[in-house]
């Protein structure tokens, strides 16, 4: 690995650590690039060589975390769904400080919306497609709230149990959505 690559990786790591610490202390919305670079002990020029603004920093962190997460969740027919969701919660557990900061009360509404959309997209890949289907949106919201609840309560429930609970809720929602709905046009 070249010396430049090591420097870039070190700078990015320091910026990410500083971001999480500062979100925990001050909240994302009030956070400035100057505060991040000062905490990370890197120059503003180094920040702007890597990122356009604090949103791009968070976006890159999110994209890398999601790529890693999706790499742990194999879609092999031999892998039980519960094992995939357990891997999902284990990933959240491994990066609990990052997700806790970004999804907590001082976190980023932008990040929460992005994660919700990603989770909805992940679930929609495994459901029959219907125009304007509400189910993936509801599932994405449910999973996001489950993560937020879990992190906010100190991850006292093991990842496997969280996977079991949320899978049960998801199955109930999917089952209910699959039932034939009465014709509302006919009236009472």
């Amino acid at each position: 690995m070249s010396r430049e690559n090591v420097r870039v990786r070190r700078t990015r790591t320091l910026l990410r650590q500083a971001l999480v610490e500062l979100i925990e202390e001050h909240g994302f919305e009030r956070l400035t690039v100057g505060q991040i670079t000062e905490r990370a002990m890197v120059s503003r020029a180094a920040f702007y060589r890597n990122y356009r603004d604090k949103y791009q920093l968070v976006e890159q962190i999110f994209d890398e975390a999601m790529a890693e997460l999706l790499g742990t969740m194999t879609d092999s027919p031999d892998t039980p769904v519960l094992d995939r969701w357990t891997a999902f919660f284990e990933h959240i557990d491994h990066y609990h400080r990052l997700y806790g900061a970004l999804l907590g009360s001082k976190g980023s509404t932008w990040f929460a919306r992005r994660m919700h959309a990603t989770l909805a997209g992940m679930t929609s890949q495994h459901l029959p497609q219907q125009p304007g289907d509400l189910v993936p949106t509801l599932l994405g919201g449910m999973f996001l709230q489950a993560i937020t609840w879990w992190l906010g309560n100190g991850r006292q429930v093991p990842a496997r149990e969280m996977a079991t609970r949320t899978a049960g809720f998801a199955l109930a929602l999917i089952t209910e959505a699959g039932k034939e709905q009465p014709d509302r046009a006919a009236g009472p």
Side-chain angles (χ1 to χ4, degrees):
M1 184 177 304
S2 74
R3 185 177 193 124
E4 180 65 26
N5 287 340
V6 170
R7 233 184 320 216
V8 168
R9 284 185 39 219
R10 181 180 174 280
T11 298
R12 288 181 177 177
T13 298
L14 291 171
L15 289 169
R16 290 169 188 197
Q17 289 170 347
L19 175 75
V20 170
E21 291 170 6
L22 289 165
I23 290 172
E24 290 172 342
E25 292 172 19
H26 305 292
F28 180 77
E29 298 307 325
R30 294 180 35 210
L31 191 59
T32 67
V33 170
Q35 290 170 313
I36 297 169
T37 56
E38 183 178 323
R39 176 67 60 95
M41 294 188 287
V42 300
S43 69
R44 281 179 178 259
F47 180 93
Y48 288 115
R49 274 194 300 274
N50 292 283
Y51 309 103
R52 189 175 48 255
D53 53 26
K54 68 180 183 178
Y55 295 96
Q56 188 181 27
L57 170 60
V58 171
E59 186 172 12
Q60 186 174 15
I61 292 169
F62 178 76
D63 289 345
E64 289 173 6
M66 284 295 107
E68 181 179 328
L69 170 63
L70 295 174
T72 65
M73 295 179 67
T74 64
D75 277 337
S76 167
D78 300 333
T79 305
V81 172
L82 186 58
D83 289 349
R84 288 190 299 230
W85 282 112
T86 299
F88 172 80
F89 278 100
E90 288 170 346
H91 166 84
I92 299 296
D93 187 36
H94 183 74
Y95 293 101
H96 69 273
R97 194 156 172 228
L98 169 68
Y99 287 111
L102 290 168
L103 294 172
S105 62
K106 295 180 179 182
S108 166
T109 55
W110 171 87
F111 180 82
R113 283 192 307 270
R114 175 92 190 271
M115 188 155 185
H116 177 252
T118 299
L119 293 168
M122 285 170 58
T123 59
S124 71
Q125 294 174 10
H126 302 283
L127 299 172
Q129 297 299 308
Q130 297 178 15
D133 195 3
L134 178 62
V135 175
T137 299
L138 292 174
L139 288 171
M142 181 198 71
F143 287 123
L144 181 62
Q145 288 303 313
I147 293 164
T148 304
W149 176 86
W150 191 48
L151 293 171
N153 286 287
R155 302 175 338 276
Q156 294 178 11
V157 176
R160 181 88 176 175
E161 186 176 337
M162 282 302 296
T164 302
R165 287 182 182 184
T166 56
F169 294 141
L171 181 59
L173 176 63
I174 293 166
T175 301
E176 183 63 28
K179 291 180 182 175
E180 194 166 313
Q181 298 298 315
D183 184 6
R184 299 192 190 279

